[in-house]
Amino acid sequence: DTGVSQDPRHKITKRGQNVTFRCDPISEHNRLYWYRQTLGQGPEFLTYFQNEAQLEKSRLLSDRFSAERPKGSFSTLEIQRTEQGDSAMYLCASRLGANTEAFFGQGTRLTVV
Amino acid sequence: EDQVTQSPEALRLQEGESSSLNCSYTVSGLRGLFWYRQDPGKGPEFLFTLYSAGEEKEKERLKATLTKKESFLHITAPKPEDSATYLCAVHGSGNTGKLIFGQGTTLQVKP
């Protein structure tokens, strides 16, 4: 499978716990994005990597959120001290160039109880 | 501020009943308008990219068109398997290529 891969697909955690999600982009894509989607809404941009450099972060990304992309390959998104409001679908996307289509993974559904 | 608005929020059609979905956008310098399909519990699946007013693209029963202020996704003789949420997006400001999405139109096609 050469598409964008995300792991895990589902995560249930207790409030206050830390969680980490992983995204493996399409191998030749140097641009990687994280989005968050809540029920009934379109995805909202969280952060952007070009190769290993994190070049933009949304105001939605509070200091409890951190993302990395070591060596410009896979990426991780960590949420510390989770809150119920963090419950959402977290989507990863990759693309080859700025104006080309972005391909999305299947997402990680986070439920904070 | 860049903004995308989709209408209607929900649409119910009978199989074979053609219709259109609307996407209105406000952006400083359009660098691409994107249509995606999203099935429940899954990530968005790319459908089309449109770059300039007057451009049209087709795929099976779907046809996307673009004007200077809006885009339409025309669905001709839909089938139940076309039921999904259709998302429209534009490039946000800056050079990162981040996408600004509308809230989507949820289409239900009944047999």
Side-chain angles (χ1 to χ4, degrees):
Chain A
D1 186 4
T2 57
V4 178
S5 177
Q6 291 189 246
D7 184 70
R9 290 292 311 279
H10 304 275
K11 178 71 177 179
I12 300 174
T13 191
K14 292 183 178 180
R15 189 173 51 186
Q17 297 295 304
N18 300 343
V19 294
T20 300
F21 311 140
R22 176 178 171 125
C23 170
D24 286 273
I26 294 171
S27 58
E28 62 267 28
H29 289 183
N30 62 343
R31 293 171 181 254
L32 186 147
Y33 305 80
W34 286 97
Y35 291 83
R36 180 171 69 188
Q37 186 177 27
T38 53
L39 205 60
Q41 301 298 315
E44 294 177 294
F45 169 77
L46 292 179
T47 191
Y48 161 66
F49 288 86
Q50 185 164 335
N51 300 311
E52 67 275 10
Q54 187 174 20
L55 298 183
E56 185 172 352
K57 292 192 288 187
S58 163
R59 288 170 295 175
L60 294 175
L61 214 65
S62 76
D63 56 6
R64 296 184 297 105
F65 288 69
S66 62
E68 293 182 341
R69 193 184 181 195
K71 303 179 182 179
S73 56
F74 71 93
S75 177
T76 58
L77 178 68
E78 181 183 15
I79 308 175
Q80 296 182 329
R81 304 181 303 280
T82 52
E83 302 173 356
Q84 285 190 323
D86 296 331
S87 295
M89 173 80 89
Y90 289 85
L91 294 162
C92 176
S94 70
R95 71 201 310 174
L96 191 55
N99 295 328
T100 61
E101 58 268 27
F103 292 93
F104 283 81
Q106 294 302 300
T108 295
R109 167 72 66 188
L110 173 67
T111 302
V112 181
V113 297
Chain B
E1 184 179 344
D2 302 329
Q3 193 167 357
V4 177
T5 303
Q6 293 186 245
S7 63
E9 288 189 8
L11 182 62
R12 288 185 178 183
L13 300 173
Q14 288 295 131
E15 185 173 1
E17 180 186 2
S18 301
S19 188
S20 295
L21 282 55
N22 177 265
C23 170
S24 297
Y25 63 89
T26 303
V27 64
S28 53
L30 183 68
R31 289 168 290 164
L33 184 140
F34 303 84
W35 282 98
Y36 286 85
R37 168 190 170 131
Q38 187 173 30
D39 292 305
K42 301 202 172 173
E45 176 188 347
F46 172 75
L47 292 173
F48 304 109
T49 308
L50 301 166
Y51 289 105
S52 57
E55 189 175 359
E56 298 182 351
K57 289 201 175 164
E58 286 187 66
K59 180 180 180 179
E60 295 181 355
R61 295 176 293 282
L62 300 177
K63 179 180 177 180
T65 61
L66 181 65
T67 72
K68 288 186 178 180
K69 293 185 178 181
E70 56 192 349
S71 177
F72 293 93
L73 185 65
H74 307 278
I75 303 177
T76 302
K79 297 182 178 181
E81 53 261 42
D82 295 322
S83 298
T85 295
Y86 291 87
L87 296 165
C88 171
V90 298
H91 275 129
S93 57
N95 296 319
T96 62
K98 68 184 178 188
L99 296 175
I100 308 299
F101 282 87
Q103 78 276 28
T105 293
T106 299
L107 172 67
Q108 184 180 26
V109 181
K110 294 190 171 184

